[in-house]
Amino acid sequence: MPFAELGFRITSPYGYRTDPITGQPNVFHSGIDLVKAHQAPLGAFVGGTVLYAADGVSGTGVGGYGKVVVIQDKNNCAHIYAHLDSVAVRKGQRVNQGDIIGRQGATGNRVTGSHLHYEVRKKSSPALGWIDDPIARTHDPTNYLEEYYATDNDTKSETVYVVKPGDTLTKIANKFNTSVDALAKLNGISQRNLILIGQRIKLPENSTSRKETLYLPRTISRWRVYPLNKAPIKGNEKGFLNPRKFGGLQYEVLGKPQAHVVTIQTRDFGKVNIYVHPSTGAVIA
């Protein structure tokens, strides 16, 4: 799941970490901590049925999690959205991916600041899939969502686009060679200037994404490229491209993991990320 494209910053990954409160090393973290902004609206990462939407009290399976929403997906797994400032759904409600389920907050126990603790449990019952073994009861959220959407996309007859930061209906229409009027009509959108990050936009049949190309100017001889699993900052580079040697270089844009960073496929370094802020002279068209 491209959390960065949905406007989130990962502050603590799934797995072993140093406990942020006690300082104890190698403590297992059963979810992933994500930050957007305090009280920012949060969209559901998957659709499903709301099993719980209230304060997490002892005995519920989410005791100490503060205000929490639990959604059961098509695989009967439980998706936990914890430490919310407020909830926007009710138990038994059916939600779609991207529907607002609450707002980011800092409620509950063991909270060091406003964030979303997102957890995927292997079962949704009993007690919302809780057992006293955080490794055995949970999936890695990132891996789970990648597999979930791979399967989901294979079985969907309709084509959808998930809204990302900076998107407008005009940008989406241009990207998929359609019109704003067609998107608004197909999705029942009356306020065309109001679309939400994570919202699913249905696309007309036979829509095709317009491929973008990255152009690197011939004036630069050392352009850093970075591994996909490391931040694109000086010191993490995997190697250098030399646009000057070839009179400029161009690559198909394979992804946009964060603002001013794109993923490309290179001959010498394989698939990498590259920083392309407009100030660098790079052009995407």
Side-chain angles (χ1 to χ4, degrees):
M1 184 72 179
F3 291 114
E5 292 188 8
L6 296 178
F8 290 102
R9 176 169 51 90
I10 299 174
T11 57
S12 187
Y14 175 84
Y16 289 97
R17 65 175 182 175
T18 298
D19 189 289
I21 295 177
T22 67
Q24 181 181 349
N26 299 320
V27 176
F28 193 82
H29 184 218
S30 58
I32 184 171
D33 289 346
L34 303 166
V35 171
K36 184 175 289 187
H38 183 56
Q39 296 184 335
L42 302 172
F45 295 138
V46 301
T49 302
V50 178
L51 300 181
Y52 194 94
D55 287 305
V57 297
S58 179
T60 62
V62 286
Y65 278 51
K67 289 182 171 62
V68 60
V69 170
V70 182
I71 297 175
Q72 180 187 49
D73 71 12
K74 64 181 181 181
N75 300 325
N76 293 321
C77 290
H79 296 249
I80 314 292
Y81 301 81
H83 305 312
L84 304 180
D85 183 75
S86 61
V87 301
V89 292
R90 63 185 183 279
K91 183 177 179 180
Q93 182 177 340
R94 175 73 188 179
V95 299
N96 297 316
Q97 180 201 348
D99 287 352
I100 301 303
I101 51 93
R103 292 180 178 273
Q104 180 184 306
T107 60
N109 301 335
R110 294 177 53 78
V111 178
T112 57
S114 179
H115 72 283
L116 168 66
H117 173 85
Y118 174 60
E119 186 174 316
V120 181
R121 294 186 182 169
K122 296 178 180 179
K123 297 181 180 181
S124 54
S125 64
L128 303 178
W130 190 91
I131 58 175
D132 193 16
D133 187 335
I135 301 176
R137 73 175 181 244
T138 60
H139 291 289
D140 180 319
T142 303
N143 293 342
Y144 182 84
L145 289 179
E146 287 177 351
E147 294 178 8
Y148 184 94
Y149 284 116
T151 302
D152 202 37
N153 289 337
D154 287 342
T155 58
K156 282 187 181 295
S157 58
E158 66 180 19
T159 304
V160 298
Y161 174 79
V162 180
V163 176
K164 301 176 177 59
D167 277 340
T168 64
L169 276 186
T170 299
K171 287 184 179 180
I172 297 171
N174 290 338
K175 180 178 178 65
F176 291 97
N177 299 311
T178 185
S179 68
V180 171
D181 287 342
L183 293 178
K185 182 177 180 179
L186 184 61
N187 292 274
I189 297 174
S190 56
Q191 299 185 47
R192 301 185 180 192
N193 294 326
L194 180 60
I195 56 175
L196 301 173
I197 295 172
Q199 181 177 345
R200 292 170 68 86
I201 301 293
K202 295 179 183 178
L203 302 173
E205 292 184 8
N206 303 319
S207 295
T208 55
S209 175
R210 179 176 62 84
K211 293 182 178 179
E212 293 183 305
T213 300
L214 168 67
Y215 298 91
L216 301 180
R218 59 184 180 182
T219 55
I220 297 178
S221 60
R222 285 171 62 84
W223 205 304
R224 291 180 173 86
V225 294
Y226 304 90
L228 301 182
N229 61 347
K230 292 187 178 181
I233 58 176
K234 186 176 181 180
N236 284 347
E237 60 268 4
K238 187 174 185 178
F240 296 85
L241 300 177
N242 187 351
R244 179 180 294 173
K245 179 179 179 181
F246 301 98
L249 289 171
Q250 65 183 63
Y251 299 92
E252 179 182 342
V253 175
L254 302 179
K256 296 180 178 180
Q258 64 188 73
H260 308 307
V261 176
V262 300
T263 303
I264 59 174
Q265 180 73 40
T266 67
R267 183 189 64 183
D268 295 331
F269 307 109
K271 190 178 293 186
V272 292
N273 286 335
I274 181 171
Y275 180 69
V276 290
H277 189 277
S279 64
T280 64
V283 174
I284 297 176

